[in-house]
């Protein structure tokens, strides 16, 4: 184990919502919720103002609207999030060649692999504060929480303790005492199902886990999971920061606190998971040939179904459609404890399939509307999308309905702007990204 807290974990604060607040002055300091705005949508990110009302990620959007009806509900703009992420990852790359991105808004950095520098406690804290200052300046106001620890697990715990917008260094030698009061759910791999089994042993906190023997955990969880958990609760974690891992598959899974039996709810979650998978896929410049769906039932039996294309795709509509088709082929009447969507057979060049898997009769934006990535509703405009009007300039979609679209005209560099309403087919109004109003890219 390391004797210095030389692993850094950075987590951008409420990332998607923070980007929206940065670019939309009228939303600063107000609750913002980003995710699928359709009837089966799921929250991707909630601003801290919205979290005070109990809104959190992976919550059904309908529940979020009930808890915080006055929030701004936005579909999201993946291009803006990706651009901000690239700036942050470039800053981390200046610290060390060993940067392991976990997602657009989260990464580990091995500071020992960078240029020789003092790695004493004071120097590490100064480095973290300087990084946060530079990050805020470079991104136009975004903030991050930074943790420093002797391992990846401890660094991530430290960043959670630093939230929001702070720095936390866990001194070498203090790791076991630092994590002891935390919930056992803070340990990677301890989800609702594992927590339910541990609760039978009287476990609520990591301190409770520390009082159990390795044999206790192996007996309850199996050898591999039990031994790994026993190591982590005593801060034994020698996993390396791995920037050059070959990506063989990408997947997203959710374990539910209560079994879900409603097929429509599961379909919405699968669409959201497909969106996250495609975000990571396209962010790595990759395309996938195989889509996989994983279901775990209440009795812990698991079923996996896959479908392989005759080409390779990075299209959200294709991945989401395949995931939903695979789900539709499974019996979920007994409930689902865990649902996951993944892709594999990854290549660097798109290979369009010979046959289009998307139902041409389906609305062009239906799947995307229920996900957390940017997409245009069809017909019309999705809330939060950047637009340009020939007379009024740049703005964003406030809302749409009854053949009209309402736009607030402001940008990150202006004061809160005026609101105007137009006919939905007003020729002077167009998407800022060059797509058509129904979400299709312009021809040519």
């Amino acid at each position: 184990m390391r004797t210095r807290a030389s692993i850094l974990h950075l987590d951008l604060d409420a990332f998607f919502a923070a980007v929206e607040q940065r670019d939309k002055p009228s939303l600063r300091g107000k609750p913002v919720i980003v995710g699928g705005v359709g009837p089966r949508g799921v929250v991707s990110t909630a601003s801290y103002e919205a979290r005070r009302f109990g809104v959190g990620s992976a919550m059904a959007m309908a529940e979020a609207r009930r808890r915080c009806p006055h929030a701004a509900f936005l579909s999201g703009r993946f291009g803006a999030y990706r651009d901000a992420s690239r700036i942050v990852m470039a800053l981390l790359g200046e610290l060390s060649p060993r940067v392991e991105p976990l997602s657009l808004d989260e990464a580990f950095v091995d500071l020992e692999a960078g240029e020789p520098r003092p790695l004493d406690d004071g120097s590490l804290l100064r480095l973290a504060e300087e990084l946060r200052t530079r990050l805020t300046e470079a991104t136009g106001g975004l903030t991050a929480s930074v943790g420093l620890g002797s391992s990846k697990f401890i660094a991530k715990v430290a960043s959670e303790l630093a939230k929001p917008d702070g720095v936390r260094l866990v001194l070498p030698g203090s790791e076991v005492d630092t994590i002891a009061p935390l919930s056992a759910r803070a340990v990677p791999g301890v989800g609702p199902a594992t927590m339910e089994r541990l609760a039978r042993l009287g476990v609520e906190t990591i301190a409770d886990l520390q009082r159990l023997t390795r044999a206790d955990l192996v007996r309850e969880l199996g050898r591999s999971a039990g031994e790994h958990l026993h190591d982590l609760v005593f801060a034994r974690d020698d996993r390396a920061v791995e920037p050059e891992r070959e990506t063989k598959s990408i997947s997203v899974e959710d374990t539910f606190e209560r079994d879900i039996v409603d097929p429509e709810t599961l379909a919405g979650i699968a669409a959201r998971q497909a969106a996250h998978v495609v975000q990571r896929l396209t962010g790595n410049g990759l395309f996938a040939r195989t889509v996989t769906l994983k279901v775990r039932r209440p009795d812990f039996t698991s079923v996996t179904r896959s479908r392989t294309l005759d080409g390779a795709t990075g299209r959200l509509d294709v991945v989401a459609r395949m995931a939903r088709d695979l789900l539709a082929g499974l019996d979920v009447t007994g409930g689902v404890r865990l649902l996951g969507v993944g892709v594999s057979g990854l290549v660097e060049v798109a290979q369009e399939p010979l046959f289009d898997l998307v139902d041409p009769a389906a609305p062009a934006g239906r799947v995307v509307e229920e996900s957390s990535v940017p997409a245009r509703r069809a017909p019309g405009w999705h809330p939060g999308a950047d637009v340009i009007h020939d007379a009024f300039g740049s703005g964003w979609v406030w809302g749409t309905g009854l053949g009209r679209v309402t736009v607030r005209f402001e940008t990150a560099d202006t004061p809160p702007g005026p609101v105007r309403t137009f006919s939905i087919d007003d020729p002077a109004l167009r998407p800022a990204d060059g797509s058509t109003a129904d979400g299709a890219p312009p021809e040519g």
Side-chain angles (χ1 to χ4, degrees):
M1 301 303 299
R2 299 190 181 202
T3 58
R4 295 180 292 192
S6 56
I7 294 182
L8 180 149
H9 180 261
L10 179 139
D11 196 351
L12 290 161
D13 298 320
F15 180 45
F16 291 177
V19 171
E20 299 300 338
Q21 290 175 318
R22 178 196 68 183
D23 295 345
K24 299 173 171 60
S26 62
L27 299 184
R28 293 171 189 168
K30 298 179 180 178
V32 174
I33 299 171
V34 179
V37 296
R40 297 188 298 273
V42 177
V43 175
S44 176
T45 305
S47 70
Y48 283 97
E49 295 86 356
R51 295 181 192 188
R52 298 190 188 107
F53 293 86
V55 178
S57 60
M59 176 181 289
M61 190 63 78
E63 176 65 16
R65 290 182 185 275
R66 187 187 70 79
R67 295 189 182 197
C68 194
H70 58 294
F73 292 86
L74 309 177
S75 290
R77 300 172 302 135
F78 183 59
Y81 310 147
R82 183 176 54 208
D83 291 344
S85 177
R86 285 173 176 164
I87 293 171
V88 174
M89 297 303 165
L91 290 175
L92 297 181
E94 295 176 12
L95 299 178
S96 170
R98 299 190 68 83
V99 177
E100 181 181 341
L102 303 179
S103 60
L104 289 176
D105 59 345
E106 185 180 4
F108 287 110
V109 183
D110 186 344
L111 298 174
E112 288 187 354
E115 293 293 324
R117 60 166 66 89
L119 294 175
D120 58 273
D121 300 341
S123 298
L124 287 167
L125 285 171
R126 285 192 295 274
L127 178 149
E129 290 290 6
E130 289 169 3
L131 169 64
R132 292 174 61 252
T133 298
R134 293 182 62 202
L135 183 153
T136 298
E137 293 173 351
T139 60
L142 301 184
T143 64
S145 299
V146 174
L148 295 155
S150 56
S151 69
K152 292 169 77 170
F153 171 44
I154 295 301
K156 184 170 175 59
V157 167
S159 70
E160 287 294 323
L161 295 174
K163 283 184 172 294
D165 191 19
V167 172
R168 178 70 178 265
L169 181 148
V170 177
L171 296 173
S174 71
E175 296 95 340
V176 174
D177 290 338
T178 298
I179 64 177
L182 304 179
S183 166
R185 289 291 303 274
V187 183
V190 179
T194 300
M195 192 67 203
E196 183 178 319
R197 299 172 72 179
L198 292 172
R200 295 198 290 264
L201 302 178
V203 170
E204 293 184 1
T205 67
I206 293 179
D208 297 328
L209 286 170
Q210 291 169 347
R211 285 190 284 270
L212 296 176
T213 67
R214 183 180 293 264
D216 291 333
L217 292 174
V218 167
R219 183 171 56 253
E220 187 65 30
L221 304 176
R223 179 168 298 279
S224 178
E227 291 183 346
H228 180 63
L229 180 56
H230 193 264
D231 285 339
L232 287 182
V233 300
F234 286 99
R236 294 189 291 264
D237 176 20
D238 59 359
R239 292 174 298 157
V241 176
E242 299 179 357
E244 301 298 336
R245 290 181 300 173
E246 180 182 359
T247 304
K248 297 182 180 180
S249 64
I250 297 172
S251 63
V252 173
E253 293 181 355
D254 287 302
T255 301
F256 312 120
E257 293 193 12
R258 295 182 179 84
D259 300 335
I260 296 178
V261 298
D262 178 47
E264 291 298 314
T265 299
L266 291 168
I269 294 171
R272 189 260 301 169
Q273 291 176 334
H276 284 299
V277 166
V278 171
Q279 286 177 9
R280 292 167 59 187
L281 187 69
T282 57
N284 285 296
L286 297 172
F287 303 87
R289 297 191 68 245
T290 300
V291 176
T292 300
L293 184 91
K294 177 181 177 182
V295 167
R296 181 171 296 153
R297 297 193 167 103
D299 62 0
F300 293 96
T301 60
S302 295
V303 178
T304 301
R305 295 287 185 269
S306 298
R307 186 175 176 189
T308 299
L309 291 161
D310 57 359
T313 187
R315 289 170 52 187
L316 171 60
D317 55 352
V318 173
V319 175
R321 179 79 178 197
M322 291 174 70
R324 284 183 155 188
D325 287 348
L326 291 168
L327 178 63
L330 294 176
D331 180 8
V332 298
T333 55
V336 171
R337 176 180 291 272
L338 175 147
L339 182 68
V341 172
V343 293
S344 58
L346 306 185
V347 296
E348 295 183 353
V349 179
Q351 302 161 334
E352 286 302 317
L354 298 176
F355 302 98
D356 193 351
L357 293 176
V358 180
D359 181 357
R366 181 167 62 96
V367 168
V368 181
E369 177 189 350
E370 296 162 1
S371 74
S372 61
V373 298
R376 224 162 267 295
R377 300 173 70 187
W381 313 80
H382 75 274
D386 294 323
V387 296
I388 299 175
H389 191 276
D390 290 343
F392 295 98
S394 297
W396 57 278
V397 175
W398 181 268
T400 185
L402 301 177
R404 293 172 293 182
V405 57
T406 299
V407 177
R408 183 180 283 275
F409 289 97
E410 62 184 9
T411 69
D413 301 319
T414 70
V419 175
R420 300 286 187 272
T421 298
F422 308 92
S423 169
I424 204 164
D425 57 358
D426 189 325
L429 185 69
R430 61 189 184 278
D433 61 6
S435 65
T436 64
D438 63 1
E443 296 192 11

